Amino acid sequence: MTGNPLTYLRHDSGGGSLSLDLPSGRAVRETEAGVLEEPILWVSDTRPDAGLWGSLQARHGWTGLWPLLLGGSSYEPGSPWTTGELDPGLIKSRPGDHDADVLLAGWWSVYTMVDEDDDMLSAPERLAVTAPFGNRWPGLAPAGTLQGDPATRAAEFAEHLMADSWLTAPRLGLSASSRGADAPADLGWGGPLNYENDTAQFSTVLRSWEERFGARVVGLGPAELYLSVAAPPTDADHALRVAAEHFAFCPDNVWQSSTDTLIRYAESLTNRAWWSFWWD
């Protein structure tokens, strides 16, 4: 299929020439910069039926559309998906422009920096958060061993994500993305905006996780990201290395949680078939 496949979806449903059995929905063209000629997202009007996410994932190679479960804002219905807050124009690079190890090492250096003049923690307390590594970036974790088919794991997690009501007023989204890792950048999603507004950099890391851990992007919230994982760490040492990547990618997973040190956070990652991130 050539061009933007989102243009083949009708405004009121997913029929169109793609012959997709979708609920009613709409193509999103509005951004803070104005109305675009090409849509950046298709989003359903209502909660999707069970099994639909997995069916659409299986057809991604034909349609060029990656499915997403989209959680809304508790204070503004539809935000950020239909309220003009997505803006691909803010994304100044592409995921292939970066190296995951370099990005994570740079973020790690910033988040482990000790500022004795403006820090609630003392230098030893700050470095204890990321013990045993302190401020030394340990490098990328080794790849995991697949425990199942990544597509199957992703479809299973999509059902779990819907059933457990993790998402506020969930809708189905479709992104014209060649792979799930690129969807946040393709949408111009601003979830990590408090830390970095070039979401392509986060998509670079997501590509690496796709390849090393069988991860798949399943859901997004205003500042949340949900991944299925088919090759999770299976022992404490490997989990600690993966936890270091998570901290560099999203420090609030450690800073703003009950698992307030890297070691405690790593304990929750062993054999876990999904990862979630949120930026405060």
Side-chain angles (χ1 to χ4, degrees), residues 76-88:
E76 185 176 1
S79 174
W81 318 113
T82 61
T83 52
E85 296 169 69
L86 301 176
D87 193 352

Side-chain angles (χ1 to χ4, degrees), residues 1 52 134:
M1 179 171 299
L52 181 55

Side-chain angles (χ1 to χ4, degrees), residues 47-118:
R47 182 187 186 96
D49 291 337
L52 181 55
W53 192 97
S55 175
L56 292 167
Q57 179 198 212
R59 303 182 74 179
H60 169 256
W62 176 68
T63 65
L65 297 171
W66 185 262
L68 297 163
L69 294 177
L70 302 175
S73 166
S74 58
Y75 62 87
E76 185 176 1
S79 174
W81 318 113
T82 61
T83 52
E85 296 169 69
L86 301 176
D87 193 352
L90 292 177
I91 312 304
K92 302 304 182 183
S93 64
R94 293 300 303 158
D97 296 341
H98 309 284
D99 178 87
D101 191 18
V102 172
L103 287 173
L104 290 168
W107 292 330
W108 177 275
S109 176
V110 171
Y111 303 146
T112 60
M113 186 180 301
V114 175
D115 184 352
E116 295 182 352
D117 295 327
D118 188 23

